């Protein structure tokens, strides 16, 4: 199965997860149609001075893979900076957030797994 990026509508999300600003989400929803454990697979474009608010993953885990730009993350309350090629893994029961304090977009792959 091939899913073409040009066929996916990017969705603008305002104040994601209680954060501020906006992001563009290209959700590859075809990934969730299979019997595997992937609940969400998206390319996210987080705009300057925007953030995804801190949230806990009660029943799943999430992975961020930074493709472009850099962002300040909270990994269970501990702040750090992620750069292209860095991976943030938030396991079941843990929490995280990401904030774009730069003047350029951050692009990252986000995947939620059961």
């Amino acid at each position: 199965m091939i899913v073409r990026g040009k066929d996916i509508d990017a969705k603008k999300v305002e104040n994601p997860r209680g954060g501020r600003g906006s992001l563009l989400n290209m959700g590859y929803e075809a990934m969730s149609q299979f019997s595997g454990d992937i609940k969400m697979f998206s390319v996210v474009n987080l705009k300057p001075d925007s953030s995804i608010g801190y949230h806990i993953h009660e029943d799943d885990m999430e992975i961020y893979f930074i493709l472009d730009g850099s962002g300040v993350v909270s990994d269970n309350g501990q702040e750090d900076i992620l750069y292209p090629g860095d991976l943030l893994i938030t396991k079941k029961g843990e929490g995280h957030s990401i904030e774009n304090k730069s003047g350029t977009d951050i692009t990252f792959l986000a995947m939620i797994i059961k």
Side-chain angles (χ1 to χ4, degrees):
M1 170 185 225
I2 296 173
V3 178
R4 303 275 182 210
K6 66 178 181 65
D7 296 332
I8 296 172
D9 293 325
K11 296 175 185 165
K12 185 173 184 177
V13 179
E14 297 289 341
N15 305 315
R17 296 272 191 168
R20 69 177 186 283
S22 65
L23 62 79
L24 288 177
N25 183 351
M26 285 184 59
Y28 288 75
E29 295 172 4
M31 294 292 288
S32 63
Q33 296 174 10
F34 302 104
S35 60
D37 292 332
I38 297 173
K39 290 173 64 177
M40 185 202 76
F41 185 90
S42 295
V43 175
V44 178
N45 183 273
L46 188 63
K47 299 298 182 187
D49 196 35
S50 295
S51 66
I52 297 174
Y54 190 85
H55 57 283
I56 306 286
H57 284 268
E58 300 289 343
D59 300 322
D60 52 30
M61 66 179 286
E62 187 167 22
I63 298 170
Y64 288 169
F65 179 72
I66 306 300
L67 299 168
D68 192 34
S70 62
V72 177
V73 296
S74 174
D75 180 18
N76 292 302
Q78 183 173 358
E79 283 198 356
D80 207 336
I81 299 174
L82 294 184
Y83 299 96
D86 290 347
L87 191 68
L88 174 68
I89 301 169
T90 305
K91 296 178 184 175
K92 182 179 177 181
E94 296 181 343
H96 67 140
S97 65
I98 186 168
E99 181 177 8
N100 186 349
K101 293 183 177 183
S102 75
T104 59
D105 294 0
I106 301 170
T107 304
F108 60 97
L109 175 66
M111 182 168 39
I112 297 178
I113 303 166
K114 292 182 196 176

